[in-house]
Amino acid sequence: STEIIHNLRSQTEALIQSGDLELATKCIEYFEPNSLAERRLKEHLRGLIYEYSGNLEKAYSSYLLALEKYGENVNLIRDLASACYQL
């Protein structure tokens, strides 16, 4: 599970940073999470895609949903704070 999380995170973040938001979206949509951490990561990455596409309100909502539904994570809290600051 740790390796799956690491691979999904690194591949999706690379796609997001390169501007290929469509492919990044497909990566997370096809990913079937099997654990709480994987579910949190999927929603967190969805928020990152929204943020990089300029939709800060949806990014905020995704981060908050991930936090409330799947629990705390320092990177998730950081990104939520960043979205709040930009709103």
Side-chain angles (χ1 to χ4, degrees):
S1 179
T2 304
E3 185 178 339
I4 292 169
I5 290 172
H6 175 73
N7 289 339
L8 178 66
R9 179 189 302 275
S10 62
Q11 289 173 357
T12 307
E13 286 178 349
L15 289 168
I16 292 168
Q17 290 171 0
S18 73
D20 196 345
L21 301 179
E22 186 177 330
L23 189 53
T25 300
K26 286 180 183 175
C27 279
I28 65 165
E29 291 307 318
Y30 288 117
F31 176 66
E32 294 293 331
N34 293 313
S35 69
L36 193 65
E38 290 175 4
R39 288 185 198 86
R40 179 178 54 231
L41 177 62
K42 183 173 182 174
E43 194 61 40
H44 185 181
L45 292 172
R46 188 185 328 275
L48 283 175
I49 292 168
Y50 286 138
E51 187 170 349
Y52 273 76
S53 70
N55 194 335
L56 293 174
E57 289 179 7
K58 279 193 172 184
Y60 171 82
S61 293
S62 270
Y63 297 148
L64 196 57
L65 175 68
L67 187 64
E68 290 174 346
K69 198 168 182 181
Y70 306 116
E72 296 178 353
N73 172 276
V74 73
N75 293 322
L76 176 59
I77 293 169
R78 176 202 63 211
D79 290 338
L80 176 63
S82 172
C84 287
Y85 179 77
Q86 294 177 72
L87 289 171

